[in-house]
Amino acid sequence: MDVNLTVNKNATIRASYIFFIMATVQLGVGILGGPAYVFQVVKQDAWLSIIIATVAIMLNLTIMFFILKQYKNADIFGIHIDIFGKWLGKLIGSIYIAYFMLSIISVLLTYLEVVNIFLYPTLSPFIIGLLIITLIVYSVSGGLRATVGTCVIFFFLTQGVLLFLYDPIQRIEWDHFFPCFKPPFQKLLKGAQKSTYTLLGFEFILLIYPFIDNKKHIKLPTYLGVLYSSIITLASAVIIIGYFSLKRVTVVEWPFLTAFKSVSLPFAERLDFIVVMLWMMVVLPTCVLLTWMISQGLHRVFAINLKMAVYGVSIILLLIVSFLKYDYIILKVTDYVAKIGFWLIFVYPFILLPIVLLKNKIRGNKK
Amino acid sequence: MRLLKLTLLSTLLLLTACLESRQIEDLGVIIARGTDKAEDDKIETSLVIFQFESQSQEIAKVVTGKGHTFKGAMVNANYETNFLLDEGKIQVELYEKELAKQGLTPYIDMISRDPNTPDTLYLAISDKKAKDIINLQYQGISVNIGQYLHGVIEQNSNQESLFPKTTLVSFTRILNDVGIDPVLPVFSFDSEGGIPKITHIGLLKNDKFVGQIPIENKTMINLINNKLKDVMIEFTIPAEPFKNKIKHRNLDSEKLYVSFMILKSKGDIEVIDKEQLRFRINLKAKLVLLEILEELDLSDNETLHLIEKEIEKRLQQRYKRLLTYFKELNVDPLGFGTEYRKVYRKGELTDKQWRAKYPNINVDYNFDVNIIRHGETY
């Protein structure tokens, strides 16, 4: 396996699309319940933790870019092989793939549970799973460009949902935010750690980097995309803190979704049903990108044919999704993803950076 | 190959049959629910339902059911009707006072757990059996009783989020917030076929009904917790200070009756001294004089100022009286505790701590009432 990828010119994408990728891959089901987990730790200062997390992500991205820049055209799998050798590199690559698999499972399971609870209690998850996974296979098997195109289209299609938030925003009780700045800094950091599940997904940059046409301009759209999804997450945190009582935020499983229940328009009595359905368009790009990441990983690490990998992954996904139904298992999977994601995506690049630099130095000396 | 793929994909369309379908013709859509206490821990629910039958003229119907839980009672009520009961558009939840005295939490839990029930439904307490109100057949009501109750609550709060418009969202928020207690409208009716109306404001200590004050005080509560606009208010002030100003006496009374429209108001509670538990109610209001039962010389600036002063005094008296009662019951519907919590920095303020402190609070008043217009005539 080569460290650097040779990408055909007509398979590359423009850097500006990274904005849409970031904005869609980060916002999935996490935002529905995520801010409440932050709230558990830091109470009304959850918004502060999210801001800290955003800054941390920006820093993280800078480091990721720095690592990627050391190579000509490599992705994270190639870098691992280069640094740790064939076997260890493949092992770490597999850990990444397993993590991506786990996160797509948690996304799908959570969304299917939401549909089951809000809309059709008796509908088998297999059926909704089949429909969503068919769509995923359809977009991913179209190649990277189709995958990214899906993100762009669904990004624009779903922004309208945010308009419905006008009603919960009106009901916000600003008293809930006081007293501010109460928890110590350590707790705020802990809260920031809790917001990782919501904001994870930016690691996509580690995989898509070789496919970018104009690498010089990659930074701005990436940062803007991250900023965008952070602002949405922040807004959702502010809304749920103000909208629900401080005691109830932690009791409601998907506060962001429940907040839509108070919206009522003259032509539609209940907006939450529509929002649940529209949310599929938010979840779909996330799943599409994750599936692309998994199959691309399998292709790179184990040299499996890309199409076969997509089919294989989707069949496994469908099986898992139709058998795991218990709420506590879904919560546990989500919890694992948050924990592994924190170490693998947030902390690991900081360890990887010195190793990459050291290796480069040694290599330079040898020459 | 392409044809095969298309055929395979189009079979997915058949999956639509997997969805459970609910036709409106088969549904009894619940629009109001009255809940009463029944024997051995059971509750009895009376449901006003809409049924869309082509033959019948009456589309609203009342069914009742008993059970330990709401769902149980609903299933039980379903034996009375050939329509499948559905809670998707419930507008009013009416609880019997006796039930509210025991605490509403279990019932609130059910409606907030079920995603099917709307969060915008109104909560209210019924003075007597809720069943009696629901079953009331009154000539004067052209709509069914469920819509009537909903309309009464809606009309009496001409603004969003004003009492008596207590939606499930705001109720659960206030219920669970430390330092403020919820209030609910209390419906009652004369036993001789009277029409149900809101007569009292029910005071709740956490989720338990503990007392009530007359509905006339609703503006007093709204003045502090909200910005009012276009709301009527009536005052009775002593006639004594106006002795020289009265042009012509209409009523031979020692009182002066005036009514105003609140054009704009802004009220809040301020913590002055958190150690000594000193609070201040700040209230700024612009009024338009609508009615006065004596002929005063209103072109005179002084008269208006005098009225303003008397009103401020009167408001103070009213708040003092209310607060004494609130302290006695240890309920805090005005939300002094919320302000206290905001400045409280020794850990988290608990409900218990606040209840211990609440009876000892001192309140100052800082009112600024301005009459800016007095209608067509002087």
Side-chain angles (χ1 to χ4, degrees), chain B residues 145-200:
Chain B
I145 188 78
Q147 281 174 306
Y148 171 75
L149 296 177
H150 184 263
V152 168
I153 296 176
E154 189 108 299
Q155 283 313 313
N156 279 297
S157 53
N158 48 356
Q159 244 167 286
E160 203 48 59
S161 80
L162 282 193
F163 182 81
K165 219 179 192 175
T166 322
T167 56
L168 181 62
V169 183
S170 62
F171 184 79
T172 44
R173 189 184 65 217
I174 294 173
L175 179 68
N176 290 311
D177 269 352
V178 173
I180 185 163
D181 284 313
V183 283
L184 285 179
V186 177
F187 275 97
S188 61
F189 67 103
D190 306 326
S191 29
E192 302 95 37
I195 196 160
K197 55 183 177 184
I198 305 178
T199 52
H200 286 92

Coordinates of all heavy atoms in Angstrom, one line a residue, chain B residues 145-200:
Chain B
I145 N -67.9 21.9 24.8 CA -67.4 22.4 26.1 C -65.8 22.4 26.0 O -65.2 23.3 26.6 CB -67.9 21.5 27.3 CG1 -67.4 22.1 28.6 CG2 -67.4 20.1 27.2 CD1 -68.3 23.3 29.0
G146 N -65.2 21.5 25.3 CA -63.8 21.5 25.2 C -63.3 22.8 24.6 O -62.4 23.4 25.1
Q147 N -63.9 23.1 23.4 CA -63.4 24.3 22.7 C -63.8 25.6 23.5 O -63.1 26.5 23.5 CB -64.1 24.4 21.4 CG -63.5 23.5 20.3 CD -64.3 23.5 19.1 OE1 -65.5 23.2 19.1 NE2 -63.6 23.9 18.0
Y148 N -64.9 25.5 24.3 CA -65.3 26.6 25.1 C -64.3 26.9 26.2 O -63.8 28.1 26.3 CB -66.7 26.3 25.7 CG -67.1 27.3 26.8 CD1 -67.5 28.6 26.4 CD2 -66.9 27.1 28.1 CE1 -67.8 29.6 27.3 CE2 -67.3 28.0 29.1 CZ -67.7 29.3 28.6 OH -68.0 30.2 29.6
L149 N -63.8 25.9 26.9 CA -62.8 26.1 27.9 C -61.5 26.6 27.3 O -60.9 27.6 27.9 CB -62.5 24.8 28.7 CG -63.7 24.1 29.4 CD1 -63.2 22.8 30.1 CD2 -64.2 25.1 30.5
H150 N -61.2 26.1 26.2 CA -60.0 26.5 25.5 C -60.1 28.0 25.2 O -59.2 28.8 25.4 CB -59.7 25.7 24.3 CG -58.5 26.0 23.5 ND1 -58.5 26.8 22.4 CD2 -57.2 25.6 23.7 CE1 -57.2 26.9 22.0 NE2 -56.5 26.2 22.7
G151 N -61.3 28.4 24.6 CA -61.5 29.7 24.2 C -61.5 30.7 25.4 O -60.9 31.8 25.3
V152 N -62.1 30.3 26.5 CA -62.1 31.2 27.7 C -60.7 31.5 28.2 O -60.3 32.6 28.4 CB -62.9 30.5 28.9 CG1 -62.7 31.2 30.2 CG2 -64.3 30.4 28.5
I153 N -59.8 30.4 28.2 CA -58.4 30.7 28.6 C -57.7 31.6 27.6 O -57.0 32.5 28.0 CB -57.7 29.3 28.8 CG1 -58.3 28.5 29.9 CG2 -56.2 29.5 29.0 CD1 -57.8 27.1 30.0
E154 N -58.0 31.3 26.4 CA -57.3 32.0 25.3 C -57.7 33.5 25.3 O -56.9 34.4 25.3 CB -57.7 31.4 23.9 CG -57.0 32.0 22.8 CD -56.0 31.0 22.2 OE1 -55.1 30.5 23.0 OE2 -56.2 30.6 21.1
Q155 N -59.0 33.8 25.5 CA -59.5 35.1 25.4 C -59.0 36.0 26.6 O -58.9 37.2 26.5 CB -61.0 35.2 25.4 CG -61.6 34.8 24.1 CD -60.9 35.6 22.9 OE1 -60.7 36.8 23.0 NE2 -60.6 34.8 21.9
N156 N -58.9 35.3 27.8 CA -58.6 36.0 29.0 C -57.1 36.4 29.1 O -56.7 37.0 30.1 CB -59.0 35.3 30.2 CG -60.5 35.5 30.4 OD1 -60.9 36.6 30.7 ND2 -61.3 34.5 30.2
S157 N -56.3 36.0 28.1 CA -54.9 36.4 28.2 C -54.6 36.9 26.8 O -54.2 36.1 25.9 CB -54.0 35.2 28.5 OG -54.3 34.2 27.6
N158 N -54.9 38.2 26.6 CA -54.8 38.6 25.2 C -53.4 38.7 24.6 O -53.1 39.2 23.6 CB -55.4 40.0 25.1 CG -54.9 40.9 26.2 OD1 -54.1 40.5 27.0 ND2 -55.3 42.2 26.2
Q159 N -52.5 38.1 25.4 CA -51.1 38.0 24.9 C -50.6 36.6 25.1 O -51.0 35.9 25.9 CB -50.3 39.0 25.7 CG -49.7 40.2 25.0 CD -49.2 41.2 25.9 OE1 -49.9 41.9 26.6 NE2 -47.9 41.2 26.1
E160 N -49.6 36.3 24.3 CA -48.9 35.1 24.4 C -48.2 35.0 25.8 O -47.8 36.0 26.4 CB -47.8 35.1 23.3 CG -47.2 33.8 22.9 CD -48.3 32.7 22.6 OE1 -49.1 33.0 21.7 OE2 -48.2 31.7 23.2
S161 N -48.3 33.9 26.4 CA -47.6 33.6 27.7 C -48.1 34.3 28.9 O -47.4 34.4 29.9 CB -46.0 33.8 27.6 OG -45.8 35.2 27.7
L162 N -49.2 34.9 28.8 CA -49.8 35.6 30.0 C -50.7 34.6 30.7 O -51.4 33.8 30.1 CB -50.7 36.8 29.6 CG -49.9 38.1 29.2 CD1 -50.9 39.2 29.2 CD2 -48.9 38.4 30.3
F163 N -50.8 34.7 32.0 CA -51.8 33.9 32.8 C -53.2 34.4 32.4 O -53.3 35.6 32.1 CB -51.5 34.1 34.3 CG -52.5 33.4 35.1 CD1 -52.2 32.0 35.3 CD2 -53.7 33.9 35.6 CE1 -53.1 31.3 36.1 CE2 -54.6 33.2 36.3 CZ -54.3 31.9 36.6
P164 N -54.2 33.6 32.2 CA -54.3 32.2 32.6 C -53.9 31.2 31.5 O -54.3 30.1 31.5 CB -55.8 32.1 32.9 CG -56.4 33.1 32.0 CD -55.5 34.2 31.9
K165 N -53.1 31.7 30.5 CA -52.7 30.8 29.5 C -51.5 29.9 30.0 O -50.4 30.3 29.8 CB -52.2 31.6 28.3 CG -52.6 31.1 26.9 CD -52.1 32.1 25.9 CE -52.7 31.8 24.5 NZ -52.3 32.8 23.6
T166 N -51.8 28.9 30.7 CA -50.8 28.1 31.2 C -50.6 26.8 30.3 O -51.3 25.9 30.5 CB -51.1 27.6 32.7 OG1 -51.7 28.7 33.3 CG2 -49.8 27.3 33.4
T167 N -49.6 26.9 29.5 CA -49.4 25.7 28.6 C -48.6 24.7 29.3 O -47.9 25.0 30.3 CB -48.7 26.1 27.3 OG1 -47.5 26.8 27.7 CG2 -49.5 27.0 26.5
L168 N -48.6 23.5 28.8 CA -47.8 22.4 29.4 C -46.3 22.8 29.5 O -45.6 22.6 30.5 CB -47.9 21.2 28.6 CG -47.2 19.9 29.1 CD1 -47.7 19.5 30.5 CD2 -47.4 18.8 28.2
V169 N -45.8 23.5 28.4 CA -44.4 23.9 28.4 C -44.1 24.8 29.6 O -43.2 24.5 30.3 CB -44.1 24.6 27.1 CG1 -42.6 25.0 27.1 CG2 -44.5 23.9 25.9
S170 N -44.9 25.9 29.7 CA -44.5 26.8 30.7 C -44.8 26.2 32.1 O -44.0 26.5 33.1 CB -45.3 28.1 30.5 OG -46.7 27.9 30.6
F171 N -45.8 25.4 32.2 CA -46.1 24.8 33.5 C -45.0 23.9 34.0 O -44.5 24.1 35.1 CB -47.4 24.0 33.5 CG -47.8 23.5 34.8 CD1 -48.4 24.3 35.8 CD2 -47.6 22.1 35.1 CE1 -48.8 23.8 37.0 CE2 -47.9 21.6 36.4 CZ -48.5 22.4 37.3
T172 N -44.5 23.0 33.1 CA -43.4 22.1 33.6 C -42.2 22.9 33.8 O -41.4 22.6 34.7 CB -43.1 21.1 32.5 OG1 -43.1 21.7 31.2 CG2 -44.1 20.0 32.5
R173 N -42.0 24.0 33.1 CA -40.7 24.8 33.3 C -40.8 25.4 34.7 O -39.9 25.3 35.5 CB -40.5 25.8 32.3 CG -39.2 26.5 32.4 CD -39.0 27.6 31.4 NE -39.9 28.7 31.7 CZ -40.4 29.4 30.8 NH1 -40.2 29.2 29.5 NH2 -41.2 30.4 31.1
I174 N -41.9 26.1 35.0 CA -42.0 26.8 36.3 C -42.1 25.8 37.4 O -41.5 26.0 38.5 CB -43.3 27.7 36.3 CG1 -43.1 28.8 35.3 CG2 -43.5 28.2 37.7 CD1 -44.3 29.6 35.0
L175 N -42.7 24.6 37.2 CA -42.8 23.6 38.2 C -41.4 23.1 38.6 O -41.2 22.9 39.8 CB -43.6 22.4 37.7 CG -43.8 21.2 38.6 CD1 -44.7 21.6 39.7 CD2 -44.5 20.1 37.8
N176 N -40.5 22.9 37.7 CA -39.2 22.4 38.0 C -38.2 23.4 38.3 O -37.1 23.1 38.8 CB -38.8 21.5 36.9 CG -39.6 20.2 36.7 OD1 -39.8 19.6 37.7 ND2 -40.1 20.0 35.6
D177 N -38.5 24.7 38.1 CA -37.5 25.7 38.4 C -37.6 26.0 39.9 O -38.6 26.1 40.5 CB -37.9 27.0 37.6 CG -37.1 27.1 36.3 OD1 -36.3 26.2 36.1 OD2 -37.4 28.0 35.5
V178 N -36.4 26.2 40.4 CA -36.3 26.6 41.9 C -36.6 28.1 42.0 O -36.1 28.9 41.2 CB -34.9 26.3 42.4 CG1 -34.8 26.8 43.8 CG2 -34.7 24.8 42.3
G179 N -37.4 28.4 43.0 CA -37.7 29.8 43.3 C -38.9 30.4 42.6 O -39.0 31.6 42.6
I180 N -39.7 29.6 42.0 CA -41.0 30.1 41.5 C -42.0 29.0 41.4 O -41.6 27.8 41.2 CB -40.8 30.8 40.0 CG1 -42.1 31.4 39.5 CG2 -40.2 29.7 39.1 CD1 -41.9 32.3 38.4
D181 N -43.2 29.3 41.8 CA -44.2 28.3 41.8 C -45.3 28.6 40.7 O -45.6 29.7 40.4 CB -44.9 28.3 43.2 CG -44.1 27.7 44.2 OD1 -43.5 26.6 44.0 OD2 -43.9 28.2 45.3
P182 N -45.8 27.5 40.2 CA -46.8 27.7 39.1 C -48.2 28.1 39.6 O -48.5 27.9 40.8 CB -46.9 26.3 38.5 CG -46.4 25.3 39.5 CD -45.5 26.1 40.4
V183 N -48.9 28.8 38.8 CA -50.3 29.1 39.1 C -51.2 28.5 38.0 O -50.7 28.4 36.8 CB -50.6 30.6 39.2 CG1 -50.1 31.1 40.5 CG2 -50.0 31.3 38.0
L184 N -52.4 28.1 38.3 CA -53.3 27.6 37.3 C -54.6 28.2 37.4 O -55.1 28.6 38.5 CB -53.4 26.0 37.5 CG -52.3 25.1 37.1 CD1 -52.7 23.7 37.4 CD2 -52.0 25.3 35.6
P185 N -55.4 28.4 36.3 CA -56.7 28.9 36.4 C -57.7 27.9 37.0 O -57.5 26.7 36.8 CB -57.1 29.2 34.9 CG -56.2 28.4 34.1 CD -54.9 28.2 34.9
V186 N -58.6 28.4 37.8 CA -59.6 27.5 38.5 C -60.9 27.8 37.8 O -61.4 28.9 37.9 CB -59.6 27.7 40.0 CG1 -60.7 26.9 40.6 CG2 -58.3 27.5 40.6
F187 N -61.5 26.8 37.3 CA -62.9 26.9 36.7 C -63.9 26.5 37.7 O -63.7 25.5 38.4 CB -63.0 26.0 35.5 CG -62.5 26.6 34.2 CD1 -61.2 26.3 33.7 CD2 -63.3 27.4 33.5 CE1 -60.8 26.8 32.6 CE2 -62.9 27.9 32.3 CZ -61.6 27.6 31.8
S188 N -65.0 27.3 37.8 CA -66.1 26.8 38.6 C -67.4 27.2 38.0 O -67.4 28.1 37.1 CB -66.0 27.3 40.0 OG -66.0 28.7 40.0
F189 N -68.5 26.6 38.4 CA -69.8 27.0 37.9 C -70.8 26.8 38.9 O -70.7 26.1 39.9 CB -70.1 26.2 36.6 CG -70.3 24.7 36.9 CD1 -71.6 24.2 36.9 CD2 -69.3 23.9 37.2 CE1 -71.8 22.9 37.2 CE2 -69.5 22.6 37.5 CZ -70.8 22.1 37.5
D190 N -71.9 27.6 38.8 CA -73.0 27.5 39.7 C -73.7 26.1 39.5 O -73.9 25.7 38.3 CB -74.1 28.6 39.5 CG -73.4 29.9 39.6 OD1 -72.5 30.0 40.4 OD2 -73.8 30.8 38.8
S191 N -74.2 25.5 40.5 CA -74.8 24.2 40.3 C -76.1 24.3 39.6 O -76.5 23.3 39.0 CB -75.0 23.5 41.7 OG -75.2 24.4 42.7
E192 N -76.7 25.4 39.6 CA -78.0 25.5 38.9 C -77.8 25.8 37.4 O -78.2 26.9 36.9 CB -78.9 26.6 39.5 CG -79.3 26.4 40.9 CD -78.3 27.2 41.8 OE1 -78.0 28.3 41.4 OE2 -78.0 26.6 42.9
G193 N -77.1 24.9 36.7 CA -76.9 25.1 35.3 C -76.2 26.3 34.8 O -76.5 26.9 33.8
G194 N -75.3 26.8 35.7 CA -74.5 28.0 35.3 C -73.5 27.6 34.2 O -73.2 26.5 33.9
I195 N -72.9 28.7 33.8 CA -71.8 28.5 32.7 C -70.5 28.4 33.4 O -70.3 29.2 34.4 CB -71.9 29.6 31.7 CG1 -71.2 29.3 30.4 CG2 -71.4 31.0 32.3 CD1 -71.7 30.2 29.3
P196 N -69.6 27.5 33.1 CA -68.3 27.5 33.8 C -67.4 28.7 33.4 O -67.4 29.2 32.3 CB -67.6 26.2 33.3 CG -68.3 25.9 32.0 CD -69.7 26.5 32.1
K197 N -66.8 29.3 34.5 CA -66.0 30.4 34.2 C -64.8 30.4 35.1 O -64.8 29.7 36.2 CB -66.7 31.8 34.4 CG -67.4 31.9 35.7 CD -68.2 33.2 35.7 CE -69.0 33.3 37.0 NZ -69.8 34.5 37.0
I198 N -63.8 31.2 34.8 CA -62.6 31.2 35.6 C -62.9 32.1 36.8 O -63.2 33.3 36.6 CB -61.3 31.7 34.9 CG1 -61.1 30.9 33.6 CG2 -60.1 31.7 35.7 CD1 -60.0 31.4 32.8
T199 N -62.8 31.6 38.0 CA -63.1 32.5 39.1 C -61.9 32.7 40.0 O -61.9 33.7 40.7 CB -64.2 31.8 40.0 OG1 -63.8 30.5 40.3 CG2 -65.5 31.8 39.3
H200 N -61.0 31.8 40.0 CA -59.8 31.9 40.9 C -58.5 31.6 40.2 O -58.5 31.0 39.1 CB -60.0 31.0 42.1 CG -61.0 31.5 43.1 ND1 -62.3 31.1 43.0 CD2 -60.9 32.3 44.1 CE1 -63.0 31.7 44.0 NE2 -62.2 32.4 44.7

